[in-house]
Amino acid sequence: MIGGEAPVPLEPRAGVQQELRYQALGGLGWMLSGAGAQALMRIVFLMVVARVLGPTAFGIAAAAVVVVTMGLAVAQLGLSRAIVQRAELEERHLRTAFTLALVFGVLSCAALQPLAPYIAAFFGFDGLTEVVRVLSLALVLSNVGLVADGLTRRKCEFRRIATVLAGAFAIGFGVVGIGLALLGAGVWALVGAHLTQHAVRSAALLYLQPHPKALRIEWQALKELIYVGGGVTVWRIGAVAAFQLDNLVVGRMLGAEALGLYGRAYQLMSMPASVLGHAMMEVVFPLMSQVQDQPARLGVAFRRGSAAIALLTLPIATVVTILAPELVAVVLGAQWDGVILPLQILAVGVLFRLAQRLSESIMNAIGAVYATGFRQVLHAGLIFVGALIGQMWGLPGVAAGVVIALAIHFLIMVELCLRITGLPWRDFLLAHRPAIVVAVIFGAEIWLLSTVLRSYELQPLVIGLICAGAAGLTLVGVLTLADRALLGQDGQWLVQAVLARVRKRSASRTRPQLTPDEPSGDAPLRAPADPT
């Protein structure tokens, strides 16, 4: 202890006594809203900027983002998740974490300055040196808000998190990025967008979530944070490498233009997974941390989460695969035709990528950070090998290699989760059967409709809108006629649970406000009973 200070316990975890299913559904709703807003803004950003800059500028920016993202994985030391995961958190932990975050952010940024020319030489991209040096400021800007980020997630303030993330993206990419692109800033429009997003996000979190900012390290607190943070860092390095090594291979072997094309294909493929995966990661991890000593509940959460992911992603992936030509033409424009085939191949991996996020959330929640981390390193190796072999057949070969790597890692993480929670393989596999049926229904409908519409040589936007409308009507029909035969036990539970929460929120808005002494005669609404 420093200066004889007694530990000052912080307020207990938010919502420990609340119904976790309501907390999860409410949090997931907010995170989906925020991530969905970001996805829509990202589409608008791409529709404007992709027509102004072209693939080469995106390729140069993507190479710099690869480097800076890997730097963030190291510089952040897993501190945010260590703050969330700790059962008891004191002010000494916060002071120590803030000091470490600031110091490592500055050191990492400084280290990239002399390395930038060598990075540019590795890729062989003109102008990359200056882009890396400037974009490395993101390491400092992001780390300043790291402790506030961890505290906000620990308290399960999902509405605040979603608002901050969406607002930072809107200002960074929607205002600064598009503005600079239209002014002719070229690749610097993308750099400015990234830096502004990091700065706004950290500033907002620091304002909304105050915490001690004294630069001081307490060694016992350091040890307690680093044990979890070290494992998270291993996991994050593996995760970042897994999501960036294919970009490294494409940039190094196929060039800046190819990297720009591949990056947009991956971005369009991962947009649904990013919306759902980010929301799920932010909600599942803090909530599952509260029941980390109850394997049965974790098993039910994993089965239901897997079923929900499959129901949401398989139909989307099927539609994206069929409508890829129209999607690329509308969002990116004619000069991006090289995106179509890689996008169709990568769409197969949406389920694997999103399911992996659920597995990692549960493993991190129970503190199995090192087991998850080492598997992420293996995942990165699989991605690298798949991309390296695949590049001999161009971008489609890279996409195929990445999908195979994602599938292998998906099975590895599922095996770990099933072993930890005790859930049988049979139950896990059966949870996916309804999603396959629904995906076949969507796929047959959209393939037939798009084939007919293309024969009339309609505009891509018209084809896309008609098919989207048909898919929406089918979705309404599926939900309206939802029964166990079609959606399965878990899918039916999900629909009923969401409806129960909607009714609960509606009732709470219309019910008169009561004083603390006035009892309410209304019985609390509950989601369907948990079979376990």
Side-chain angles (χ1 to χ4, degrees):
M1 214 67 62
I2 296 178
E5 277 187 285
V8 182
L10 299 180
E11 59 184 284
R13 292 177 181 272
V16 173
Q17 303 300 323
Q18 299 177 19
E19 187 70 55
L20 280 183
R21 66 167 62 92
Y22 283 147
Q23 219 179 341
L25 289 171
L28 191 58
W30 278 112
M31 296 309 297
L32 281 173
S33 299
Q38 286 187 63
L40 291 176
M41 289 185 286
R42 194 179 298 276
I43 290 174
V44 173
F45 174 79
L46 286 175
M47 291 178 72
V48 176
V49 177
R51 288 168 168 80
V52 177
L53 299 186
T56 301
F58 275 92
I60 294 172
V65 169
V66 168
V67 175
V68 171
T69 305
M70 289 184 175
L72 280 171
V74 177
Q76 293 187 343
L77 299 172
L79 293 173
S80 178
R81 296 199 175 277
I83 289 172
V84 175
Q85 202 273 340
R86 276 200 62 78
E88 296 181 3
L89 188 68
E90 301 171 5
E91 287 189 11
R92 60 193 178 94
H93 296 109
L94 302 184
R95 289 193 298 266
T96 300
F98 183 74
T99 304
L100 285 174
L102 193 59
V103 169
F104 272 80
V106 171
L107 290 178
S108 300
C109 177
L112 282 179
Q113 304 307 307
L115 292 176
Y118 300 100
I119 294 169
F122 172 82
F123 282 99
F125 295 177
D126 293 335
L128 183 57
T129 299
E130 293 76 15
V131 173
V132 169
R133 283 174 171 166
V134 175
L135 194 58
S136 65
L137 293 173
L139 296 165
V140 180
L141 295 174
S142 181
N143 273 26
V144 168
L146 197 61
V147 173
D149 176 83
L151 282 173
T152 306
R153 298 175 194 281
R154 178 184 177 87
K155 295 178 180 180
C156 299
E157 294 178 347
F158 302 118
R159 179 178 182 177
R160 178 172 292 179
I161 296 170
T163 303
V164 168
L165 293 178
F169 186 90
I171 295 172
F173 285 85
V175 177
V176 175
I178 291 179
L180 289 176
L182 294 177
L183 291 172
V187 68
W188 296 105
L190 302 174
V191 175
H194 279 285
L195 291 179
T196 303
Q197 182 187 27
H198 284 288
V200 171
R201 180 173 177 269
S202 290
L205 287 171
L206 286 171
Y207 174 76
L208 295 171
Q209 184 58 69
H211 63 81
K213 300 177 183 64
L215 298 181
R216 187 184 306 173
I217 293 180
E218 203 274 348
W219 296 109
Q220 183 59 36
L222 174 64
K223 293 177 183 177
E224 293 166 356
L225 289 171
I226 289 299
Y227 174 76
V228 173
V232 172
T233 300
V234 174
W235 164 69
R236 281 209 63 196
I237 291 174
V240 168
F243 288 113
Q244 298 295 343
L245 282 178
D246 51 345
N247 290 325
L248 186 148
V249 170
V250 172
R252 179 69 177 85
M253 306 300 293
L254 302 178
E257 182 177 353
L259 180 55
L261 293 170
Y262 179 77
R264 290 332 96 210
Y266 203 99
Q267 187 175 30
L268 290 175
M269 176 278 289
S270 64
M271 207 169 286
S274 295
V275 171
L276 299 170
H278 179 78
M280 187 168 297
M281 192 78 166
E282 304 300 346
V283 173
V284 171
F285 173 57
L287 292 181
M288 290 303 98
S289 294
Q290 299 177 21
V291 293
Q292 56 184 280
D293 57 344
Q294 301 177 42
R297 296 189 72 178
L298 291 174
V300 171
F302 182 60
R303 191 195 73 222
R304 286 180 173 163
S306 299
I309 287 171
L311 279 168
L312 291 168
T313 57
L314 285 182
I316 292 174
T318 303
V319 172
V320 168
T321 301
I322 296 170
L323 296 180
E326 287 75 22
L327 179 62
V328 171
V330 171
V331 176
L332 300 177
Q335 62 179 326
W336 295 85
D337 284 347
V339 168
I340 295 174
L341 183 54
L343 171 60
Q344 291 173 320
I345 297 172
L346 288 170
V348 179
V350 172
L351 172 65
F352 303 139
R353 183 182 177 192
L354 189 51
Q356 165 194 326
R357 302 293 296 274
L358 174 64
S359 302
E360 291 167 354
S361 296
I362 290 181
M363 290 301 99
N364 286 338
I366 66 174
V369 289
Y370 288 96
T372 308
F374 292 138
R375 283 164 176 78
Q376 273 292 9
V377 173
L378 174 61
H379 181 205
L382 291 169
I383 292 288
F384 179 74
V385 172
L388 191 61
I389 295 174
Q391 60 86 25
M392 293 186 289
W393 292 272
L395 292 183
V398 174
V402 167
V403 168
I404 293 171
L406 287 173
I408 295 173
H409 184 252
F410 162 75
L411 293 175
I412 291 172
M413 289 303 300
V414 166
E415 187 278 331
L416 178 62
C417 279
L418 297 184
R419 178 152 45 88
I420 294 294
T421 62
L423 184 69
W425 268 101
R426 181 179 181 276
D427 291 356
F428 174 78
L429 294 174
L430 287 177
H432 291 77
R433 184 171 60 184
I436 296 173
V437 174
V438 174
V440 170
I441 294 173
F442 272 81
E445 175 191 28
I446 299 303
W447 177 81
L448 180 61
L449 184 58
S450 63
T451 301
V452 173
L453 294 174
R454 287 168 185 164
S455 69
Y456 288 98
E457 299 182 352
L458 298 177
Q459 291 296 315
L461 179 59
V462 175
I463 296 175
L465 290 175
I466 293 175
C467 289
L473 291 175
T474 303
L475 177 61
V476 171
V478 168
L479 295 179
T480 302
L481 302 174
D483 58 21
R484 184 161 296 186
L486 182 60
L487 294 183
Q489 172 188 351
D490 297 312
Q492 189 181 38
W493 177 90
L494 178 65
V495 172
Q496 292 177 358
V498 170
L499 291 176
R501 177 167 178 83
V502 170
R503 289 194 296 268
K504 182 175 184 291
R505 288 182 62 85
S506 300
S508 66
R509 289 174 179 173
T510 58
R511 184 185 298 123
Q513 294 294 322
L514 302 176
T515 65
D517 296 326
E518 292 179 304
S520 168
D522 295 335
L525 288 169
R526 294 189 178 275
D530 203 332
T532 60

